[in-house]
Amino acid sequence: MIKSQSVTWAACISPRQWKHEKHPPPRFCTGPCRKISEWLTFDNMHHQWLLLAACFWVIFMFMVASKFITLTFKDPDGAFPSIEEIPENVVHDHEKNGLPRLSSFSNAEIQKRLKTYFKFFIVRDPFERLISAFKDKFVHNPRFEPWYRHEIAPGIIRKYRRNRTETRGIQFEDFVRYLGDPNHRWLDLQFGDHIIHWVTYVELCAPCEITYSVIGHHETLEDDAPYILREAGIDHLVSYPTIPPGITVYNRTKVERYFLGISKRDIRRLYARFQGDFKLFGYQKPDFLLN
């Protein structure tokens, strides 16, 4: 875990060392970082999902574990009587759940929140994150998100499938080729906000522009989640659900299985795009896939 916005030292140490490391951080983000106001209006920064969304999904999960979530989520007749009765589609639909987006505030209100709020997000090994996104959105897609299979997947297949006679649905190889294409933004613009599940953390969460209180890691979530709750001062109100043993551990076998048969060229192009996430958050370069 990284504390007190020491994001830039991650390239030097492993996730398990972060909470104990005392050395000053070397600079990783090169070039001048944009001002917050510029970042919030930049087309490729999906800022509208920043507050209590992609970067802040753990905040939401902490809230779900508490009864006060029922005061925020509303049904047509008022607050839901219990957490269990909040429909899944309402949880994920910002137009229905009533949770504000950061971009819904004035610039002064945005600045105030960015300066005074406790801010954190959770990162994961970049390639495992992409595998998870692929499985969740294209394989085990929930019934209230049909556009991933019916709109996004066909768009990727049309442009990136090499074997035009192949009639199967989207394959991980198609997904990798799309993400590693230097010209991927042409499709990104068509897909809109849905790409938040696979854009880089640097693009999505702007760690160079926003001073986060803590950046936690999926691989050490058993330690990081209670720490974040304590630092946020809400550990007396909420608790993180019990994590099944081994579920957050990096699974190299799974990564190798998914990338089996994908060309080194395509994997290297994918790594080139996500290299910043690997380095910035201390993840090892996947040489076993690249060489």
Side-chain angles (χ1 to χ4, degrees):
M1 155 187 339
I2 308 173
K3 301 191 294 186
S4 303
Q5 184 54 21
S6 297
V7 241
T8 52
W9 47 329
C12 304
I13 51 182
S14 68
R16 286 287 179 188
Q17 292 174 298
W18 282 335
K19 67 177 68 178
H20 306 295
E21 186 61 42
K22 302 298 183 183
H23 299 296
R27 182 172 177 80
F28 176 80
C29 300
T30 57
C33 288
R34 289 181 301 277
K35 296 179 181 179
I36 292 296
S37 58
E38 294 174 352
W39 175 75
L40 288 170
T41 56
F42 189 58
D43 289 341
N44 293 325
M45 295 296 178
H46 304 280
H47 58 276
Q48 294 193 17
W49 288 87
L50 180 63
L51 188 60
L52 293 173
C55 295
F56 289 79
W57 62 271
V58 177
I59 290 181
F60 172 74
M61 290 189 353
F62 290 155
M63 292 175 67
V64 166
S66 169
K67 292 182 179 179
F68 69 78
I69 192 66
T70 60
L71 301 177
T72 301
F73 285 86
K74 304 289 186 179
D75 67 11
D77 300 317
F80 288 102
S82 67
I83 295 169
E84 291 76 14
E85 294 186 44
I86 303 175
E88 188 177 359
N89 64 316
V90 172
V91 170
H92 290 275
D93 191 333
H94 73 275
E95 294 180 354
K96 295 179 180 178
N97 61 35
L99 294 175
R101 294 182 175 193
L102 191 62
S103 59
S104 66
F105 299 102
S106 68
N107 188 57
E109 291 173 324
I110 290 171
Q111 296 288 348
K112 178 182 178 181
R113 283 163 175 77
L114 290 174
K115 290 179 180 178
T116 61
Y117 278 29
F118 181 86
K119 302 173 292 296
F120 75 95
F121 67 99
I122 304 295
V123 296
R124 185 178 188 177
D125 175 86
F127 281 4
E128 269 208 314
R129 175 183 172 233
L130 295 179
I131 291 171
S132 177
F134 177 80
K135 290 170 60 179
D136 183 55
K137 300 306 176 187
F138 300 110
V139 180
H140 308 299
N141 184 249
R143 62 185 179 279
F144 56 86
E145 295 181 322
W147 46 84
Y148 286 100
R149 282 184 179 174
H150 302 315
E151 297 177 22
I152 294 179
I156 294 174
I157 291 171
R158 280 194 298 270
K159 185 169 177 60
Y160 294 102
R161 177 155 296 178
R162 286 176 176 164
N163 183 359
R164 297 297 179 178
T165 63
E166 174 61 68
T167 59
R168 291 184 298 171
I170 187 170
Q171 303 296 298
F172 189 63
E173 181 178 8
D174 305 320
F175 191 54
V176 167
R177 197 169 293 121
Y178 151 57
L179 294 177
D181 183 1
N183 298 313
H184 62 86
R185 294 192 184 280
W186 181 80
L187 271 186
D188 288 352
L189 291 174
Q190 297 182 45
F191 297 158
D193 281 345
H194 302 307
I195 69 171
I196 63 169
H197 301 288
W198 52 76
V199 296
T200 67
Y201 288 124
V202 172
E203 292 175 289
L204 185 62
C205 302
C208 293
E209 289 86 354
I210 296 176
T211 304
Y212 287 97
S213 308
V214 179
I215 296 178
H217 290 76
H218 180 267
E219 295 79 7
T220 55
L221 198 56
E222 295 92 337
D223 298 327
D224 293 0
Y227 174 84
I228 291 170
L229 288 174
R230 289 195 302 272
E231 289 295 296
I234 57 173
D235 57 315
H236 62 293
L237 297 173
V238 266
S239 60
Y240 196 82
T242 301
I243 300 173
I247 197 171
T248 63
V249 176
Y250 174 74
N251 190 336
R252 172 169 168 164
T253 301
K254 178 180 67 176
V255 173
E256 288 178 322
R257 184 174 73 252
Y258 268 84
F259 281 91
L260 183 66
I262 299 178
S263 72
K264 296 295 183 184
R265 173 183 176 273
D266 289 335
I267 298 175
R268 288 167 184 157
R269 288 175 64 158
L270 181 69
Y271 176 75
R273 178 178 177 189
F274 288 86
Q275 182 177 9
D277 283 358
F278 275 96
K279 290 186 174 182
L280 191 59
F281 303 112
Y283 290 105
Q284 290 187 352
K285 182 180 179 180
D287 289 320
F288 64 94
L289 295 175
L290 300 170
N291 299 326

